[in-house]
Amino acid sequence: MTPFPERVFSGMQPTGNLHLGNYLGAMINWVKMQATHECIYCVVDLHAITIKHDPATLVGDIRELTAAYLACGLDPQKSIIFNQSQVSQHAELAWIFNCIARLGWLNRMTQFKEKAGKDREKASTGLFVYPNLMAADILAYKATHVPVGEDQKQHLELSRDIAQKFNNDFAASIADHGYGEAYFPLPEPMITGPATRVMSLRDGQAKMSKSDASDNSRINMTDDADAIAQKFRKARTDPEPLPSEPGGLEERPEADNLVGIYAALAGTSKESVLKEFGGAQFSVFKPALSELAVEKLAPIGAEMRRLQADASYIDAVLGDGAERASALARPVLDGAKDVLGLLRTRK
Ligand code: TYM
């Protein structure tokens, strides 16, 4: 296939309760990728309205998530940081992809099944085509790498299928317009690190999630030191001491989760955490984990609060990012229209 220059895209929904899973599964990798790649990071507000939302709080949630991006170390000078609804190409390309993706593909999406629940008929059609908008987010920039947590894998596969089908169905037109063998790259999911699926602190079988009714199930990025310590103290575990090697974590989901969290926060591997803590009881490990989490998260929470007090600064970052993002997305969408045979006025 035609080689595409490497470009990173990822996004998060501004739905409140940003938690340790979002941070360790995705954000920590986003920050690192800035050193080696051109990166585009989006606050996906159009995805947030696929389920019931409150207009009175959404704008605050958009600013809060942007503040979190910046507080975690995303640099608006280096990377493009913006909110999705300000760049109309996302929604336009999503429409095109609605006409590429097949019903059968979307019917297989487990996240739709989970979110729609039993009352599927009452789910918005936006929730059903959510993955098509996600593909548009990525492919509007011909992004090649997408750092996400494990739960987004299926959506990323669908993005690849959409890109592939567009490339196949319109191969002749793509070649005629001088785009070579493929118009879109097949974006690679990057699911890396020791905490790609952070689990609930109350249930080792359930993902840590912003929608869990129990606040004790997750560490929020804005939790203070006391809340963090208390949640880890209460976290469910088994009675055994920690093993000295990762193999010993099999069949011990709660222990595995806490060791993974420690490793990701410390920037190391589960193996090296167990070299240090192998044989230790949770009464020793949990306070060490709390201390590490407070050390890493407290400065982020404080910086988030500082930034959130300055809404005009946040809005300026998003406005500037939206302009830079549009400048990249516009020619990609125009090219896709040409390939499809749509008529557009050339400037
Ligand atoms: P969202 O907002 O649910 O989650 C944002 C990111 O956090 C990761 N994540 C987790 N990682 C590990 N453990 C967990 N418990 C955990 N919970 C969440 C998610 O995998 C994700 O990387 N559909 C996406 C947003 C999106 C997007 C995109 C992502 C829209 N367009 C384009 C990449 C590219 C979502 O709902 O993420």
Side-chain angles (χ1 to χ4, degrees), residues 121 287 308:
E121 297 292 308
Q308 269 181 277

Side-chain angles (χ1 to χ4, degrees), residues 9-13 19 21-22 25-26 44 47 130 134 137-138 146 148-149 151-152 195-198 207-208 210:
F9 182 96
S10 200
M12 282 192 195
Q13 295 194 67
H19 56 71
N22 300 127
V44 294
H47 278 111
Y130 176 117
M134 195 165 151
D137 296 339
I138 300 164
V146 187
V148 284
D151 61 343
Q152 295 301 314
T196 55
R197 188 173 173 81
V198 177
K207 192 179 71 167
M208 185 178 284
K210 53 185 109 186

Side-chain angles (χ1 to χ4, degrees), residues 110-310:
T110 53
Q111 191 166 298
F112 174 75
K113 289 180 199 160
E114 278 163 27
K115 286 202 179 174
K118 286 198 192 82
D119 221 351
R120 218 183 128 127
E121 297 292 308
K122 291 224 171 85
S124 73
T125 48
L127 187 66
F128 188 65
V129 295
Y130 176 117
N132 297 346
L133 177 59
M134 195 165 151
D137 296 339
I138 300 164
L139 295 170
Y141 305 94
K142 300 194 177 181
T144 54
H145 291 80
V146 187
V148 284
E150 178 86 40
D151 61 343
Q152 295 301 314
K153 196 168 174 221
Q154 195 185 33
H155 286 159
L156 262 289
E157 277 158 13
L158 191 100
S159 296
R160 291 170 64 88
D161 290 343
I162 289 174
Q164 181 83 67
K165 185 163 169 59
F166 186 98
N167 290 342
N168 289 349
D169 287 0
F170 305 108
S173 181
I174 290 168
D176 285 351
H177 284 89
Y179 292 114
E181 287 167 39
Y183 188 71
F184 289 118
L186 306 188
E188 291 277 345
M190 300 192 65
I191 301 172
T192 52
T196 55
R197 188 173 173 81
V198 177
M199 307 308 277
S200 155
L201 299 182
R202 310 296 297 159
D203 174 359
Q205 308 293 337
K207 192 179 71 167
M208 185 178 284
S209 146
K210 53 185 109 186
S211 53
D212 195 315
S214 161
D215 195 58
N216 282 329
S217 69
R218 64 182 162 262
I219 305 284
N220 299 304
M221 295 304 285
T222 46
D223 281 347
D224 62 19
D226 287 347
I228 293 174
Q230 202 198 52
K231 286 176 180 179
F232 278 128
R233 200 166 42 242
K234 283 192 176 162
R236 199 168 136 181
T237 48
D238 57 42
E240 301 300 316
L242 285 174
S244 46
E245 282 172 19
L249 292 169
E250 271 170 38
E251 315 290 328
R252 297 182 63 187
E254 290 88 5
D256 187 25
N257 189 36
L258 295 185
V259 170
I261 291 174
Y262 191 105
L265 284 169
T268 165
S269 61
K270 288 185 192 175
E271 208 162 27
S272 72
V273 174
L274 293 177
K275 269 201 189 112
E276 190 181 342
F277 288 99
Q281 298 289 345
F282 283 105
S283 56
V284 172
F285 182 66
K286 281 179 166 182
L289 175 58
S290 297
E291 199 181 316
L292 176 65
V294 170
E295 181 194 316
K296 300 286 177 184
L297 302 186
I300 297 176
E303 180 65 356
M304 271 177 76
R305 279 186 287 278
R306 190 186 72 79
L307 288 163
Q308 269 181 277
D310 191 353

Side-chain angles (χ1 to χ4, degrees), residues 1 5 18 20 28 32-33 53 88 131 155 214 241 254 282 293 298 336:
M1 201 187 350
L18 189 72
L20 196 58
I28 224 169
K32 277 192 216 139
M33 298 207 73
H53 84 286
S88 60
H155 286 159
S214 161
E254 290 88 5
F282 283 105

